[in-house]
Every structure is written in structure tokens, then in C-alpha cells.
Amino acid sequence: NVSGFEHEIDPHKIDVLFTTIPNTFSIQNETIFISPYFDDTSDGDILNILEKIKLSKRHEYFKNNFNNYFDENLFFVNPQVSNEIDAINLLVDAMESIDNVPSSFREAVMKRERAASTAFFEVAIPHSVEANAYKSSVAVIVSKNGIKWGNNHVKVVLLVAMNEVQRHEFKM
């Protein structure tokens, strides 16, 4: 006689059910049967499933919180900037004006940019070498005519400010 606690399980709070009893009951999410004779293959399968769930949850969280990283005060269309230094200064000034970053943020972004250009094709994604922002956020420039960025000419700049506590949200 087998008894269980199926009635105590809320299927909406389960990502995956691991069981040694086949066809116990069904839930909307994945149910994985684990053989009572656990082996290395089972171990690998479980790790793969857990990694898939972890990645899915991160994507879902990021998608649901995407707008939290943007502020209308951090958007600029066709600003009068001639190069990457002007662009970074404009965006850092805007971030500082709404208290998203400390005064040390500007130099940390410039240090990263001096190490290697963050421009790729027509997009630049400058960022600090540290997760030193008060609030994770993204400042944006869209330039119809483009901005000279080292050896590139970019039309979109995304300045990313990362907070140490929120850093995990960007790890995909």
C-alpha cells in the first residue's frame, strides 16, 4: 500500500518533480522519473534539467524586469556629441543627476574604455570595470549621423551601470 502527500503539493510552485515512483500524479511542469538504481547518467540528466530551469528563470526574471533598467531621463536622440568621451560624459552626467551612480563611476567607465574599445559595428556598450552603481541602469544615445568612437562610427550607445547586488540579473 503506497500513500503520499500529493494533496499537499501546489503544482504552481513546482518547476520540476523528481520521483522514484513512475506515473505517481501529474503536474503541469516537468516530471522526471529517477531509477532507484541511481547512476552517473541520472546525475548528468538531473544537472542538465536543473541548469535548464535556472536559465529559464533568469530569462523570465530579466524579461519581467527589463523596464526597471531604463529611465526616460537617460534617453538621448541625436545629441551634440562628437566622440566617445563626449558621449560617455553626457550619459554619466545624466546618471549622476538621478543618483544612479557615484562620482567614481565616470573614471571607472573611462578606464574600461581605455583598456579596449566597447564599440562593435554601429553599437557601443561602455561600462564600468566595477559593479559600483547605486542602481543598475542603462543610458541610451541614438544618433542618426553617428558618433566617432575610436576607429568605429556608432549610431547606438548603451552605457551600462551595474550594481553589485543586481549583478546576477545580467548573468545569462
Side-chain angles (χ1 to χ4, degrees):
N1 185 3
V2 176
S3 64
F5 52 89
E6 295 86 5
H7 62 281
E8 296 176 19
I9 297 175
D10 180 353
H12 297 96
K13 294 182 179 179
I14 295 176
D15 294 314
V16 63
L17 173 66
F18 294 97
T19 180
T20 57
I21 305 170
N23 301 321
T24 317
F25 60 95
S26 66
I27 60 170
Q28 286 182 311
N29 297 322
E30 201 163 359
T31 301
I32 305 299
F33 172 73
I34 300 173
S35 169
Y37 307 105
F38 195 81
D39 59 18
D40 288 341
T41 304
S42 300
D43 186 37
D45 291 344
I46 291 169
L47 290 175
N48 286 337
I49 290 165
L50 292 175
E51 189 59 35
K52 182 175 120 183
I53 290 168
K54 182 177 160 185
L55 186 60
S56 173
K57 288 214 171 275
R58 279 188 179 155
H59 284 178
E60 182 180 340
Y61 179 86
F62 192 70
K63 184 176 86 175
N64 291 338
N65 293 283
F66 184 77
N67 289 336
N68 295 340
Y69 303 108
F70 296 92
D71 181 301
E72 64 186 21
N73 297 308
L74 300 178
F75 275 86
F76 300 90
V77 177
N78 297 319
Q80 297 299 312
V81 295
S82 57
N83 57 42
E84 69 270 26
I85 294 170
D86 291 346
I88 290 170
N89 282 329
L90 172 70
L91 297 176
V92 171
D93 287 346
M95 286 185 162
E96 285 179 343
S97 74
I98 59 172
D99 295 323
N100 279 15
V101 296
S103 59
S104 61
F105 183 73
R106 183 183 320 270
E107 182 51 37
V109 172
M110 295 297 190
K111 179 178 179 182
R112 169 60 184 89
E113 197 63 37
R114 285 190 300 269
S117 177
T118 57
F120 303 95
F121 304 104
E122 294 187 333
V123 177
I125 309 174
H127 53 281
S128 172
V129 292
E130 306 165 15
N132 60 343
Y134 298 136
K135 179 183 184 289
S136 293
S137 56
V138 179
V140 180
I141 291 176
V142 178
S143 175
K144 181 178 180 182
N145 297 324
I147 302 165
K148 182 174 175 10
W149 200 284
N151 295 328
N152 293 324
H153 198 75
V154 301
K155 293 192 175 185
V156 176
V157 180
L158 305 169
L159 174 61
V160 178
M162 189 68 54
N163 173 285
E164 182 63 44
V165 175
Q166 295 172 312
R167 171 183 250 162
H168 73 280
E169 296 169 9
F170 284 83
K171 291 182 182 178
M172 297 292 162

